[in-house]
Amino acid sequence: MPFVAITSAALLLTACGSGSGDPGGTDASGVAAKSDEVPTTDVVSAVRKDDAAAKLLPAGTTHLTVAVSVGGTPPGTTYLADGATLTGQDVDFTKAVARVLGIRLKIEQASFEAILPALDSGKYDFGASNFGVTDERRKTIDFVTYVNDGQGFATRKDSKLAKITDLKQLCGLNVATGAGTTFEATLEAGKHVCSDAGKKAYRVQTYAEPSAVWSSLQQGRSDIVMSTINGLRYAVAHQQGLKFLNEYHRLDVGFAFKKGTKLAPAFQAAVNRLLSDGSYDRILRKWGTTGSAIKESRISPPELKD
């Protein structure tokens, strides 16, 4: 089947990918999604302040600066039809937590790979871009978890590739992914499996822009894409010519802070408040990501191993 060009939506390669994206993650073309594809249900304004959670904030905390990476489409951070208002799952969770804590937010955009290094300098108070919790990141970053996403694969619908359960299945292929993501780290760390098996190594193609990732697939320069599970599922559901291969590795996703932050307990309490009052479920249902629900928020938990 010929591959249909992706024009109406884009996959967010974030923190798991992601970074979404993811991926991060995570987590195609980099073009902002059409207005009728972006959920607009208000799931934040009904959230109320919780005094017990707010009291956990460091004294005098009234404003915080958060860095987000804009990738293109839901469930990742994108724009509403006005071309200026940011929306997305991470944005909703960030605004909901701020309402629970009774604080004001200054939202700044930054490239995904630039956010975590900038936390230590104090440029941002925290980051919210589908950042996957890994043991390597925990050495320099504190996390407060709010969803579970992870790493997955997708390709063209006419590809013979099937479920990827072992990186050896990628040997000899070109794999496109986002720069500075957990996907890149996973792929680079696993390259040896091909040489160990006497096979040609796969090539990791990293891109700073989501549009470049999917252009490489469209044009045949890449054979497969690794990104956030939620972002990949969205792309496949909304675009012809793509197929989701499988989930590869689940990761907790969290707000990212400078190591040793005093903000973590308050953010954890705020997320748990959203879980208990129903706001959490409403946010996930809006973005079609109920499969990413967690039972409770945790501070810098160990990386999930599967």
Side-chain angles (χ1 to χ4, degrees):
M1 178 185 295
F3 184 57
V4 178
I6 300 169
T7 58
S8 65
L11 169 66
L12 176 64
L13 296 173
T14 60
C16 278
S18 113
S20 253
D22 65 79
T26 162
D27 355 114
S29 67
V31 179
K34 290 181 180 179
S35 59
D36 60 357
E37 294 175 336
V38 180
T40 57
T41 305
D42 180 2
V43 291
V44 174
S45 64
V47 176
R48 296 290 176 258
K49 181 179 179 180
D50 182 86
D51 290 335
K55 287 180 180 178
L56 297 176
L57 286 168
T61 302
T62 59
H63 296 71
L64 292 177
T65 299
V66 56
V68 301
S69 175
V70 181
T73 67
T77 303
T78 187
Y79 293 102
L80 289 178
D82 61 9
T85 304
L86 291 174
T87 188
Q89 179 173 270
D90 296 316
V91 172
D92 277 349
F93 271 117
T94 301
K95 290 182 175 180
V97 163
R99 290 184 68 88
V100 172
L101 298 177
I103 57 175
R104 293 175 179 258
L105 289 175
K106 179 181 180 182
I107 301 178
E108 295 193 3
Q109 296 179 42
S111 63
F112 176 78
E113 65 272 20
I115 295 175
L116 295 185
L119 295 176
D120 190 58
S121 69
K123 183 176 183 179
Y124 311 117
D125 293 302
F126 67 106
S129 285
N130 205 57
F131 288 108
V133 181
T134 68
D135 290 338
E136 183 63 27
R137 284 177 171 171
R138 289 194 306 128
K139 295 177 182 178
T140 57
I141 299 293
D142 280 341
F143 293 95
V144 173
T145 61
Y146 58 95
V147 292
N148 176 272
D149 194 352
Q151 306 173 336
F153 292 98
T155 188
R156 296 182 296 272
K157 205 166 187 177
D158 58 356
S159 172
K160 295 181 180 179
L161 290 172
K163 185 176 182 180
I164 305 297
T165 58
D166 191 311
L167 294 182
K168 287 198 292 288
Q169 294 171 262
L170 303 177
C171 295
L173 301 179
N174 292 324
V175 187
T177 196
T181 62
T182 62
F183 317 121
E184 179 185 7
T186 296
L187 292 168
E188 291 293 350
K191 266 186 172 180
H192 66 90
V193 300
C194 295
S195 57
D196 292 349
K199 298 181 178 181
K200 181 180 178 181
Y202 53 78
R203 181 186 175 203
V204 183
Q205 300 170 309
T206 57
Y207 301 95
E209 297 295 330
S211 58
V213 173
W214 289 94
S215 292
S216 71
L217 187 67
Q218 287 177 301
Q219 297 166 9
R221 289 181 283 109
S222 299
D223 302 295
I224 191 170
V225 169
M226 188 179 192
S227 188
T228 65
I229 294 168
N230 286 335
L232 291 170
R233 288 191 185 281
Y234 182 90
V236 170
H238 290 79
Q239 298 297 325
Q240 296 180 2
L242 290 178
K243 65 178 179 180
F244 180 72
L245 295 180
N246 64 288
E247 297 183 6
Y248 179 72
H249 176 49
R250 278 276 174 177
L251 285 172
D252 286 319
V253 169
F255 297 111
F257 302 85
K258 176 181 179 179
K259 192 71 176 178
T261 181
K262 295 182 179 180
L263 294 170
F267 272 68
Q268 180 190 31
V271 175
N272 285 331
R273 172 67 180 182
L274 296 175
L275 279 160
S276 65
D277 70 10
S279 301
Y280 183 91
D281 184 60
R282 285 190 288 274
I283 293 173
L284 291 190
R285 283 191 282 111
K286 172 181 177 179
W287 298 106
T289 56
T290 54
S292 286
I294 59 174
K295 294 182 178 180
E296 64 177 355
S297 177
R298 296 192 292 168
I299 297 175
S300 297
E303 179 178 349
L304 295 177
K305 305 294 184 180
D306 51 27

